[in-house]
Structure formats: C-alpha cells, structure tokens
Amino acid sequence: MRKIEVGILGATGMVGQHFVRFLQDHPWFELTWVGASDRSAGKKYRDATSWRLDGAMPSPVADLMVEECKPGNAPRLVFSATDASVATEIEQAFAQAGHVVVSNSRNHRMETDVPLLVPELNPGHLQLIPLQRQRRGWSGQIVTNPNCSTVVLTMALGPLKPFGITRVIATTMQALSGAGYPGVASMDITANVIPFIGGEEEKMQQETQKILGDFRGDRVEPLAARVSAHCNRVPVVDGHTVTVSVELSAKPSEQELIAALRGFTGVPQERQLPSAPAHPVIYMEESNRPQPRRDAGRERGMAAFVGRVRECPALDYKFVALGHNTIRGAAGAAVLNAELMHSEGLLDS
Ligand code: NAP
C-alpha cells in the first residue's frame, strides 16, 4: 500500500516532537512536511528544533525543511500542534484550503460542528463533518482530540455509560510533561503539589459531557451528568492519574462494573487500526496500581489503566484511572483519530 503523506503544524514544539516520534515507521502515514513559525521556517528540522524527547531525533525528519504554517504545498492530511495563540487562524486556513486538520489544540474542541473524538467512545461524532463543511463552506475539515486529563477520565467512564452516569467527581494528579517545555519551575514543583492548572477543570467538565454525548442528527447532545473536576500538578514526569467517584442510575454490582471495564472494546479494535491498543481499558487487580511510572507507557501509551473499583460512601463507586498524557493525551490520540477517519474513507479527496 502506498503510504499517505502527512504534515505537522507546530512540528518543532513539544507536542510536535511527540507527533514526529509517534509517526515514525507508521504503516499508513509518512511524514513528509513540517511547519512551524517564521522563526523556524527555512531551516532544516534538525537546526530549528531542540529535540527534548528520549532517544535521537528520527533521521528521516532531520533533513526536512521547516515551512511556514500556510496552506499551499503541505499534504492534505496535517496534524496540528501549533501554539494555542495561533491555532484558530492556522487550522481554519488549512481546512478552508481543503486540508484535513487533525488537531491537538484546544481551540476548536467545543465548537458545535467539530468532532471531539475518542475513537473507542464516539466514532459516530464524525457525522458532524458534512455539517461542518456545509456551514463553513470549506472543502477540508477539522477534527480534535481531548485535553490530556479528559481522555483518561472519559476512557474510564465510557464503559460505564450503559449504567446511566449521573454524577462524577474527578481529581487529577497531572504529570509535568503536560505543561510542555520548560513547564513548571523546579523550585515550585519539587517535593510539592500545585492545586491549580489554569482552565483545566472547565475543560475536563465540558469536554467529558461532549465526548460522552450522543449524536442527534445535526448536533451532539452532551451527557446530562454533572461533572466536577479538581486538577493538580504533581512531580511525575509522564502519566496523568485521576481518582474518580461516580453515581450510576442503574446501580450495577461491583462485579458488573469491573466486567464492563474489562470487556470494553470499540471500533478501533474491531478494525484493528494500527495505533489501537488491543484493549482500550486495562483493569488492574493489584491494590496499589495503576501507577504512572510503572504503567503509563505500557501498550505504547495508548491504553487507559483502571484499578481499585470499590464502593463510594458519597456517590456509588470510586476508582483510579491512569493514561499517558503526551501519547494517548496528545499525539497518539490524534494519529488514532486520523486512522479512524481513513477507515471511514474520510481522507479520500
Ligand atoms: P510548544 O512547545 O510551545 O510548541 C509550539 C509550536 O507552535 C512550535 O512548533 C512553534 O514553532 C509553533 N508556533 C508558535 N507560534 C507560531 C506561529 N505564529 N505560526 C506557526 N507556528 C507557530 O507548545 P506545545 O507544548 O507543543 O503545545 C502545542 C499545542 O498543543 C498547544 O495548543 C497546547 O495547548 C496543546 N497541548 C499541549 C500538551 C502538552 O503536553 N504540552 C498537551 C495537550 C495539548 P517555533 O518552534 O518556530 O516557535
């Protein structure tokens, strides 16, 4: 099969580097184009980028010339990791010019005609695309993936949706890598917890309702659950941990709830999409797991790990969930979105 050429908007940044690494040796996609600001444009990727991930910069990308983030010579499919201050205009310009923009930025996530996708949970939300094109009059499209802590919460809640989710209280312990580079000052975070991440709680609350909502012909009806998030930055390098209490109208038994988590599967697994984990949710029996250092990177960082399901005296059940914030919470999520779109024929011109 001839590979599909892809580009990255914001390729020199932290998330852009995760895209570069995640796309290395991808069976369907070949990275042929990298874009960044005019500070980097005209330089080779190796010269424009301070490579901050473990291991060496993948050699095929090192000699690519960085372009300005303007549509023109970029491939039809572009992943977006541009700075949020410029992502709105850049992504819209690419969609207007006929590109498929698979974005990791927050800018378009909550727009009513833009899918906010977790392919195992809401592949049907891709039906917003024809509406988006019609309303905006563009031949391209924008699809987004959730915030890095929202994806962990929703992957753990998705299997419980058939039990009728009515209330959720989620508390995060979020890794440093989620703050980008250089992130939080070492003097602030060493041996400490920072109980505030700007805008994060609102994003988790609203995005969760949209992702777990139902497509109703021309819109997504948000999940009618009340969701309350507390977000904290902790001195962990990779992996967001979320403790969750949930109220469920069907009042399942603990065994039924664990069976739903264990047995959960979705379209990416049925279609064997290249980046799909074999099991999107992995339930761990050990009373002290999951843990970010030991578990976040398993399954190529694409699964959510859940443990410690038990009764909650305030709501019905409580548990802990974990996911890799820069893989399933960023680059890996967007690549899986593009794989889902390809499997639906949405990347055909
Ligand atoms: P970053 O390291 O600061 O990288 C920003 C990228 O945007 C760089 O490639 C930069 O290019 C480019 N850029 C800046 N100004 C531009 C302009 N005027 N025109 C075109 N490109 C421009 O940021 P990041 O941490 O990777 O985050 C990127 C996006 O992902 C943000 O929207 C962020 O909210 C989102 N996000 C980040 C994380 C995370 O873990 N860090 C997680 C989820 C989502 P130059 O190198 O040329 O300046």
Side-chain angles (χ1 to χ4, degrees):
M1 189 180 97
R2 207 164 147 238
K3 289 194 183 182
I4 298 166
E5 292 191 17
V6 304
I8 302 171
L9 307 168
T12 51
M14 270 316 284
V15 176
Q17 294 180 30
H18 279 283
F19 272 114
V20 166
R21 193 170 66 175
F22 199 83
L23 286 165
Q24 199 181 2
D25 301 322
H26 193 281
W28 296 356
F29 303 141
E30 184 175 2
L31 179 60
T32 58
W33 189 95
V34 285
S37 76
D38 55 10
R39 295 179 290 276
S40 305
K43 296 179 187 162
K44 285 190 173 174
Y45 185 77
R46 74 164 90 245
D47 300 323
T49 306
S50 298
W51 186 255
R52 302 201 191 275
L53 305 188
D54 294 346
M57 177 187 289
S59 48
V61 74
D63 286 322
L64 288 181
M65 196 63 79
V66 178
E67 309 274 346
E68 277 193 72
C69 286
K70 290 184 179 152
N73 62 352
R76 182 150 183 273
L77 173 59
V78 288
F79 295 100
S80 175
T82 43
D83 192 85
S85 63
V86 293
T88 303
E89 292 74 25
I90 290 176
E91 292 178 2
Q92 288 184 3
F94 273 78
Q96 178 87 47
H99 292 268
V100 175
V101 181
V102 182
S103 174
N104 183 60
S105 303
R106 64 170 182 268
N107 302 49
H108 291 100
R109 283 182 197 146
M110 290 308 296
E111 286 174 17
T112 54
D113 56 357
V114 174
L116 177 56
L117 277 187
V118 179
E120 286 90 346
L121 304 179
N122 61 1
H125 291 197
L126 278 177
Q127 293 172 82
L128 288 171
I129 296 281
L131 279 147
Q132 184 193 116
R133 288 175 149 192
Q134 193 187 353
R135 274 188 203 154
R136 308 215 186 204
W138 56 36
S139 52
Q141 52 200 275
I142 299 177
V143 163
T144 59
N145 60 262
N147 162 273
C148 46
S149 41
T150 308
V151 76
V152 180
L153 176 63
T154 53
M155 285 180 73
L157 288 176
L160 313 185
K161 194 178 163 189
F163 299 124
I165 300 167
T166 46
R167 283 197 287 181
V168 178
I169 299 173
T171 303
T172 69
M173 287 156 269
Q174 297 183 221
L176 293 169
S177 56
Y181 191 92
V184 187
S186 60
M187 285 294 282
D188 288 335
I189 196 65
T190 305
N192 201 13
V193 169
I194 298 175
F196 175 70
I197 303 174
E200 196 83 350
E201 294 176 350
E202 295 78 5
K203 277 188 253 177
M204 266 187 99
Q205 291 164 182
Q206 293 162 3
E207 291 180 17
T208 297
Q209 290 168 326
K210 179 171 177 179
I211 292 161
L212 295 176
D214 295 311
F215 181 72
R216 300 271 187 232
D218 61 350
R219 72 203 155 87
V220 170
E221 187 174 297
L223 184 78
R226 294 171 75 177
V227 182
S228 173
H230 307 251
C231 293
N232 304 286
R233 187 74 67 194
V234 298
V236 160
V237 177
D238 288 316
H240 287 353
T241 305
V242 189
T243 56
V244 185
S245 286
V246 62
E247 182 185 69
L248 302 163
S249 56
K251 308 298 175 199
S253 69
E254 195 174 306
Q255 288 70 27
E256 287 172 322
L257 198 143
I258 292 172
L261 291 163
R262 279 194 199 286
F264 183 68
T265 189
V267 169
Q269 286 70 35
E270 280 162 31
R271 295 185 190 165
Q272 299 188 336
L273 301 182
S275 302
H279 301 282
V281 178
I282 295 177
Y283 187 73
M284 302 190 70
E285 291 288 351
E286 300 92 328
S287 56
N288 61 354
R289 300 289 273 276
Q291 296 177 10
R293 207 177 66 205
R294 296 202 163 109
D295 299 310
R298 292 167 52 197
E299 307 293 322
R300 287 186 73 213
M302 289 299 285
F305 297 86
V306 178
R308 301 203 67 218
V309 166
R310 60 212 190 278
E311 283 187 16
C312 171
L315 302 184
D316 288 324
Y317 289 101
K318 54 185 174 177
F319 56 84
V320 58
L322 166 76
H324 199 298
N325 52 296
T326 58
I327 302 177
R328 190 65 207 228
V335 173
L336 188 61
N337 284 352
E339 292 170 4
L340 176 72
M341 293 166 81
H342 182 50
S343 76
E344 302 259 328
L346 282 165
L347 300 188
D348 304 336
S349 46

